[in-house]
């Protein structure tokens, strides 16, 4: 079925070859531990249904829009489940980026070429690939418009367009500023070019911050700011991953070693909301153990970056705070009112996480939620992933307007759900498969340690309940750095896992 990888057996062989080359140079003890992790890792995120339980021999037209993690997984799975369907993927990108690797690039552990592969390697034979972008959707006519190939009609549609960055929503900020004037942003990538500037520039930035701290002193420390916006973001833990890895890099724990110069740097984490993480069990460990372990991090809650003066290195935040009023005898509590004020902070270095939004083609169409906090995101049922108004439309990945699930790990769980339910609609059956909200954030708490934060609509959802999931562990670091990328290329992108 695939041009390069023809069966799951060959895919597993390719996977183990890449894992072996990734682990070259490890000492024997670590390599042995790694093998244990490998076995465990194959189960990661279970129970994911690996093979679609529904199939159809109908000859229908299915279009998938978007060739990132979700679009490719959906294409691979649909090709197997609907062998007679005419399947088309509309994806402009020749290069596929393994985006989670951008954090390891920022930490100096991977290079850009490590996270790039040709999208052609993943598109199964028998699928039409239109290298184009969709400019608008007309779901009432089962039609969409492309930039170069005109209008296309479909019987069934899968929307997998991902998320769009909105750096310009911060006054004075733009993509062009990343890598200049002490500014970086690990998220930045260009899907059309297949480049991940965010990873490359943030590693340079790590080294610049360290050099500046080396030349500073505890009396005159450098100021480094890390931000997190008030919009939904993909991989919600990435802002903290960069915060902790950069601080640990100052301690000489990065790949280039060195003295501990962390006393010469003041770190501020300016974020939306009142907590470090939305799930209480993970938030407790981050707030009470991980963040204090560094000693130089000031968590500034309810601070949202609104403006940057890049020339003068000044950031302006909207700070929301509460004022306690009179005690209400009837309600037996104090009146609390919310206020906002502008706070300016000078910095030497700043890591900016962009506000994020649904891609325009979806947001401006009838496919997006028409109002409310999810306005513009794909209006689908949070369990079946079927569009709430157009029954022949489904979604996968970051574009979904569901309460959670903007990670590659979530897209992996969306894959079999949407395929089974789409096939059920084709066959006139009741929709049975249900997405439980599974989201996974491998939160790097330091070099060599990860808290594998897995959760779903009901709360904490560890793949290995015997291990306390809130404990940062070396084994999750080894799994993420050495195993996950080959598993992504050889199993997930081929709809095998
Ligand atoms: C720095 C960083 C760290 C991350 N870390 C993790 C992690 O540790 N674990 C994890 O699980 N996830 C992580 N993620 C998130 C993960 O990469 C995404 O959740 C995942 O890629 C979502 O898949 P998707 O298909 O929805 O979107 P994407 O993979 O982003 O793909 C969307 C595709 O749609 C295309 N597209 C957009 N608009 C159109 C259009 N109009 N027409 C046609 N095509 C279009 C784009 O070109 C793109 O190729 C991280 C992401 C980043 C950036």
């Amino acid at each position: 079925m695939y041009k390069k990888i023809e069966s799951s057996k060959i895919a597993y062989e390719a996977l183990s070859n890449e894992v072996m080359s990734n682990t070259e140079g490890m000492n024997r003890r670590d390599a042995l531990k790694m093998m244990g992790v490998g076995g465990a890792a194959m189960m990661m995120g279970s129970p994911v249904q690996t093979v679609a339980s529904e199939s159809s021999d109908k000859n229908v037209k299915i279009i998938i829009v978007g060739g990132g993690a979700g679009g490719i997984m959906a294409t691979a799975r649909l090709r197997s489940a609907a062998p007679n369907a005419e399947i088309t993927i509309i994806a402009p990108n020749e290069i596929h980026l393994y985006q989670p690797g951008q954090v390891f690039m920022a930490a100096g552990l991977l290079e850009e070429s490590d996270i790039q592969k040709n999208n052609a390697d993943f598109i199964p034979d028998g699928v039409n690939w239109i290298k184009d972008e969709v400019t608008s959707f007309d779901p009432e006519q089962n039609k969409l418009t492309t930039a170069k190939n005109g209008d296309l009609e479909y019987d069934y549609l899968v929307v997998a367009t991902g998320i769009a960055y909105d750096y310009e929503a911060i006054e004075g900020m733009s993509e062009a500023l990343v890598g200049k004037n002490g500014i970086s942003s690990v998220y930045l990538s260009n899907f059309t070019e297949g480049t991940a500037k965010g990873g490359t520039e943030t590693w340079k930035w790590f080294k610049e911050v360290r050099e500046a701290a080396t030349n500073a002193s505890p009396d005159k420390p450098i100021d480094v700011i890390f931000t997190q916006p008030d919009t939904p973001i993909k991989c919600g833990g990435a802002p903290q991953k960069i915060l902790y890895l950069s601080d640990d890099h100052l301690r000489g724990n990065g790949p280039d070693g060195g003295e501990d110069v962390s006393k010469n740097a003041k770190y501020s984490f300016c974020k939306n909301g009142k907590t470090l993480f939305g799930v209480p069990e993970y938030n407790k460990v981050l707030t009470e153990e991980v963040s204090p372990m560094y000693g130089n991090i000031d968590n500034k809650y309810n601070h949202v970056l609104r403006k940057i003066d890049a020339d003068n290195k000044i950031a302006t935040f909207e700070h929301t705070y509460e004022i306690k009023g009179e005690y209400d005898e009837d309600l037996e509590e104090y009146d609390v009112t919310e206020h906002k004020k502008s706070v300016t902070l000078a910095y030497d270095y700043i890591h900016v996480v962009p506000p994020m939004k649904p891609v325009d083609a979806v947001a401006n169409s009838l496919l997006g939620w028409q109002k409310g906090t999810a306005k513009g995101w794909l209006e689908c049922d949070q369990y079946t992933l079927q569009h709430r108004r157009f029954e022949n439309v489904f979604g996968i990945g970051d574009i979904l307007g569901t309460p959670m699930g903007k990670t590659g790990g979530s897209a992996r769980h969306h894959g079999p759900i949407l395929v089974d339910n789409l096939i059920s609609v084709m066959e006139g059956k009741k929709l049975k498969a249900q997405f439980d909200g599974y989201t996974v954030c491998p939160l790097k708490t330091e070099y060599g340690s990860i808290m594998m934060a897995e959760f779903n609509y009901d709360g904490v959802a560890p793949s290995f309940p015997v291990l306390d999931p809130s404990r940062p562990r070396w084994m999750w670091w080894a799994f993420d750095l050495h195993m996950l990328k080959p598993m992504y290329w050889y199993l997930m992108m081929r709809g095998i896992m």
Side-chain angles (χ1 to χ4, degrees):
M1 172 170 295
Y2 292 96
K3 293 181 184 87
K4 299 249 160 44
I5 304 290
E6 277 146 23
S7 71
S8 56
K9 181 167 171 281
I10 301 175
Y12 276 105
E13 273 169 23
L15 164 74
S16 47
N17 288 342
E18 185 156 335
V19 171
M20 290 317 287
S21 65
N22 278 350
T23 51
E24 257 173 41
M26 262 190 186
N27 66 38
R28 191 167 170 274
R29 191 178 62 99
D30 285 352
L32 283 172
K33 273 201 214 166
M34 188 65 227
M35 301 312 280
V37 176
M42 301 307 283
M43 303 295 294
M44 193 68 203
S46 59
V48 159
Q49 181 190 319
T50 53
V51 180
S53 58
E54 301 287 342
S55 64
S56 169
D57 58 7
K58 292 238 161 82
N59 184 352
V60 294
K61 278 189 189 171
I62 305 175
I63 294 187
I64 296 127
V65 181
I72 295 289
M73 283 193 256
T75 306
R77 286 174 179 276
L78 280 166
R79 182 65 295 168
S80 316
N84 295 333
E86 181 189 319
I87 300 179
T88 299
I89 181 167
I90 305 175
N93 53 314
E94 293 278 0
I95 302 287
H96 190 111
L97 291 176
Y98 171 66
Q99 296 173 58
Q102 286 174 223
V103 172
F104 283 127
M105 282 175 70
L109 299 170
L110 290 181
E111 295 189 357
E112 190 176 64
S113 56
D114 294 324
I115 69 159
Q116 296 168 319
K117 278 202 192 291
N118 292 325
N119 234 0
D121 292 352
F122 303 116
I123 297 179
D125 284 345
V127 168
N128 310 316
W129 177 12
I130 298 182
K131 293 175 192 171
D132 203 347
E133 269 185 49
V134 171
T135 51
S136 63
F137 293 93
D138 182 357
E140 285 174 326
Q141 303 301 324
N142 294 332
K143 203 173 77 177
L144 51 81
T145 304
T146 61
K148 294 180 288 192
N149 288 271
D151 291 354
L152 297 171
E153 289 183 354
Y154 57 81
D155 298 310
Y156 299 94
L157 174 69
V158 178
V159 183
T161 51
I163 224 164
Y165 298 141
D166 196 6
Y167 285 96
E168 282 74 15
I170 301 164
E171 193 184 330
M173 181 60 195
S174 66
E175 286 191 17
L177 279 174
V178 174
K180 294 186 186 140
N181 296 46
I183 299 175
S184 201
S185 178
V186 70
Y187 278 91
L188 187 58
S189 62
N190 184 317
F191 291 130
T192 316
E193 291 169 3
T195 53
K197 191 176 167 192
T200 325
E201 289 301 330
T202 307
W203 174 228
K204 285 189 205 154
W205 184 89
F206 266 40
K207 290 189 283 189
E208 279 173 32
V209 172
R210 194 183 148 78
E211 194 182 329
T214 308
N215 297 325
S217 68
D219 301 335
K220 249 187 146 202
I222 57 164
D223 285 304
V224 189
I225 294 178
F226 296 78
T227 73
Q228 182 166 327
D230 57 353
T231 63
I233 58 173
K234 57 176 145 186
C235 189
Q240 276 178 87
K241 296 178 190 176
I242 294 299
L243 168 73
Y244 302 133
L245 288 173
S246 165
D247 211 337
D248 205 27
H249 186 248
L250 292 186
R251 273 149 232 269
N253 293 327
D256 45 1
E259 297 292 304
D260 182 350
V261 294
S262 59
K263 288 195 173 61
N264 303 346
K266 265 177 31 198
Y267 275 31
S268 301
F269 182 35
C270 300
K271 72 177 301 291
N272 69 316
K274 296 177 184 171
T275 56
L276 288 179
F277 207 89
V279 182
E281 289 83 347
Y282 301 126
N283 181 56
K284 186 170 173 10
V285 175
L286 291 167
T287 313
E288 294 177 9
E289 295 177 38
V290 176
S291 180
M293 170 178 91
Y294 286 97
N296 63 342
I297 299 176
D298 178 11
N299 293 315
K300 293 185 188 298
Y301 297 104
N302 287 318
H303 279 68
V304 179
L305 181 63
R306 297 291 185 215
K307 184 176 167 188
I308 271 201
D309 176 350
D311 292 334
N312 296 303
K313 296 193 166 181
I314 292 171
T316 305
F317 295 85
E318 181 182 282
H319 175 43
T320 309
Y321 61 101
E322 291 174 346
I323 293 182
K324 208 161 139 185
E326 298 284 303
Y327 188 75
D328 187 319
E329 300 285 351
D330 297 330
L331 293 174
E332 294 182 352
E333 61 184 25
Y334 286 92
D335 263 352
V336 175
T337 49
E338 205 179 82
H339 301 262
K340 288 186 191 300
K341 69 176 178 188
S342 206
V343 173
T344 54
L345 297 175
Y347 62 84
D348 298 292
Y349 293 92
I350 186 166
H351 180 266
V352 177
V353 175
M356 300 187 199
K357 59 181 186 178
V359 300
D360 286 346
V362 176
N364 299 336
S365 77
L366 284 175
L367 292 178
W369 284 91
Q370 300 297 299
K371 55 183 181 186
T373 49
K375 190 165 186 289
W377 299 94
L378 191 76
E379 186 182 332
C380 61
D381 180 88
Q382 70 180 68
Y383 300 107
T384 63
L385 310 182
Q386 182 187 37
H387 199 281
R388 285 160 40 100
R389 286 173 283 119
F390 302 103
E391 68 161 22
N392 59 339
V393 178
F394 284 79
I396 182 168
D398 296 344
I399 187 61
L400 300 183
T402 48
M404 53 180 65
K406 294 198 189 315
T407 66
S410 311
R412 185 168 78 84
H413 281 235
H414 296 150
I417 307 283
L418 97 84
V419 169
D420 267 8
N421 285 338
L422 193 155
I423 299 279
S424 293
V425 176
M426 277 164 67
E427 294 292 315
K429 293 183 186 164
K430 204 166 167 264
L431 274 57
K432 287 196 302 240
Q434 302 252 311
F435 175 59
D436 65 1
Y438 178 82
T439 307
V440 55
C441 175
L443 215 154
K444 285 103 184 138
T445 52
E446 59 187 314
Y447 277 89
S449 223
I450 278 180
M451 172 198 276
M452 191 57 84
E454 293 176 279
F455 49 98
N456 62 22
Y457 293 141
D458 296 329
V460 169
S463 295
F464 302 101
V466 285
L467 297 177
D468 176 353
S470 68
R471 300 277 25 115
R473 292 173 200 277
W474 175 90
M475 80 173 238
W476 295 134
W477 173 273
F479 165 54
D480 195 3
L481 181 59
H482 301 295
M483 295 287 299
L484 205 49
K485 183 163 62 80
M487 285 167 71
Y488 177 88
W489 296 133
Y490 297 109
L491 303 180
M492 296 181 209
M493 289 302 102
R494 297 185 156 87
I496 295 170
M497 187 188 154

